[in-house]
Amino acid sequence: MSSHDGRAKITLTTLQRYKERGEKFASVAVYDASFAEIASAAGIEVLLVGDSLGMVVQGHDSTLPVTMEDVVYHLGMAARGNRGALLMGDMPFMSYYSEGLTLENAGRLMRAGAHIIKLEGGRWIAESTHLLVERGIPVCAHMGLTPQSINRFGGFRVQGRDPAQAQNMIDEAAMLEQAGASILLLECVPVALAQTITERLAIPVIGIGAGPHTDGQIMVMHDLLGITPPSFKPPKFVKNFLLDSTTGIRGAFEAYAGAVHGGSFPGPEHSYT
Ligand code: KIV
């Protein structure tokens, strides 16, 4: 099957092959049809409609206020613009606290156009992962700095620097793979820990602020395009690719995809030790 512009559609099998061949893939969080079309046509393999929309689109100071209705609304738009990328839908805060709710809400995202859904958490999401996968809904497990738990972490901080916490993350990643997760996403973890987890898992691992060794990278489109409100200090892992582009926004997405595919992004200046 091919996409609207003739490029082969990206599926979970495609990403698995990338991992096996040691090829990198790029991913970006987008929230509407226009950017979904530009990013996917620029060669970005995975689009996420993330609950980061609460911060970059709605202006909240965390992702907690985002609702299922918000994600379904933005996912529908992104699905209409998408040209062959794998489309991931984010399960917002408190939308997966019980079996029934998890199945119902994941089903809503799949009906809105998602190919895979994303859940934040460690061992406690293993059961939900198994439940969803058994019913045909692929899962990306998001670990490390999980923004829905920001109040427990006490701020946006690198996770897994402490050896016991790092070991726990390695164990939980293996547990989620065992439960059937198709992708693991690591946010804000030290380079060496992300490398260990990526090497130990057979499934593709996507990183944000997790160094250069993960199989894929993900960025929020506002960060990639340098859309930064004056009140916001971008984290270390952010790079403005619009500055590298002579062809505008599409060029910025292409520059990002090219840098990820070629292994030049992220560099040490974007990574944590
Ligand atoms: O919601 C989101 O956009 C995300 C990415 C930052 C990974 O979870």
Side-chain angles (χ1 to χ4, degrees):
M1 223 185 293
S2 67
S3 63
H4 299 274
D5 66 358
R7 220 191 289 262
K9 271 191 178 164
I10 304 290
T11 65
L12 289 170
T13 312
T14 321
L15 298 185
Q16 195 61 48
R17 287 206 195 104
Y18 273 51
K19 167 129 192 167
E20 284 154 17
R21 292 199 295 251
E23 286 175 34
K24 304 280 186 192
F25 60 88
S27 174
V28 68
V30 295
Y31 314 97
D32 69 19
S34 299
F35 283 109
E37 178 162 351
I38 296 169
S40 53
I44 289 174
E45 285 87 357
V46 181
L47 302 180
L48 165 68
V49 176
D51 62 1
S52 51
L53 73 87
M55 299 177 77
V56 298
V57 178
Q58 297 173 331
H60 296 294
D61 64 359
S62 79
T63 60
L64 272 60
V66 175
T67 63
M68 273 305 297
E69 286 65 34
D70 294 333
V71 180
V72 166
Y73 175 68
H74 287 274
L75 190 56
M77 292 189 258
R80 286 189 286 279
N82 181 22
R83 296 294 178 265
L86 186 85
L87 183 59
M88 196 187 295
D90 218 355
M91 296 277 278
F93 181 60
M94 284 293 139
S95 67
Y96 46 104
Y97 64 76
S98 70
E99 273 192 15
L101 204 62
T102 304
L103 289 174
E104 189 180 322
N105 286 331
R108 284 183 71 189
L109 296 191
M110 297 302 279
R111 277 191 217 100
H115 303 125
I116 179 168
I117 62 98
K118 178 165 83 60
L119 302 176
E120 292 185 8
R123 68 189 71 232
W124 74 271
I125 60 162
E127 224 171 281
S128 315
T129 299
H130 182 67
L131 192 73
L132 290 165
V133 171
E134 273 201 322
R135 285 155 181 82
I137 300 182
V139 171
C140 169
H142 182 162
M143 291 178 59
L145 197 172
T146 45
Q148 291 171 17
S149 303
I150 199 66
N151 291 303
R152 186 161 59 77
F153 295 140
F156 289 89
R157 296 212 176 89
V158 179
Q159 300 296 307
R161 278 188 168 139
D162 165 74
Q165 200 195 21
Q167 187 56 52
N168 189 47
M169 221 184 275
I170 293 169
D171 296 343
E172 289 192 327
M175 194 179 288
L176 291 169
E177 178 178 62
Q178 191 65 33
S182 298
I183 300 178
L184 184 80
L185 193 154
L186 292 176
E187 178 162 353
C188 276
V189 302
V191 174
L193 176 58
Q195 181 171 16
T196 301
I197 293 175
T198 304
E199 286 170 359
R200 292 203 185 169
L201 297 196
I203 58 173
V205 177
I206 304 180
I208 176 166
H213 304 297
T214 54
D215 305 299
Q217 297 290 332
I218 185 161
M219 278 186 86
V220 168
M221 58 158 271
H222 289 61
D223 293 338
L224 187 161
L225 296 174
I227 305 171
T228 310
S231 59
F232 181 70
K233 183 176 175 294
K236 182 179 178 175
F237 55 78
V238 162
K239 177 172 156 90
N240 177 349
F241 282 91
L242 197 56
L243 296 175
D244 290 357
S245 167
T246 51
T247 52
I249 287 174
R250 169 146 179 169
F253 283 110
E254 285 169 347
Y256 165 61
V260 171
H261 295 153
S264 63
F265 178 80
E269 69 278 27
H270 306 115
S271 308
Y272 302 102
T273 50

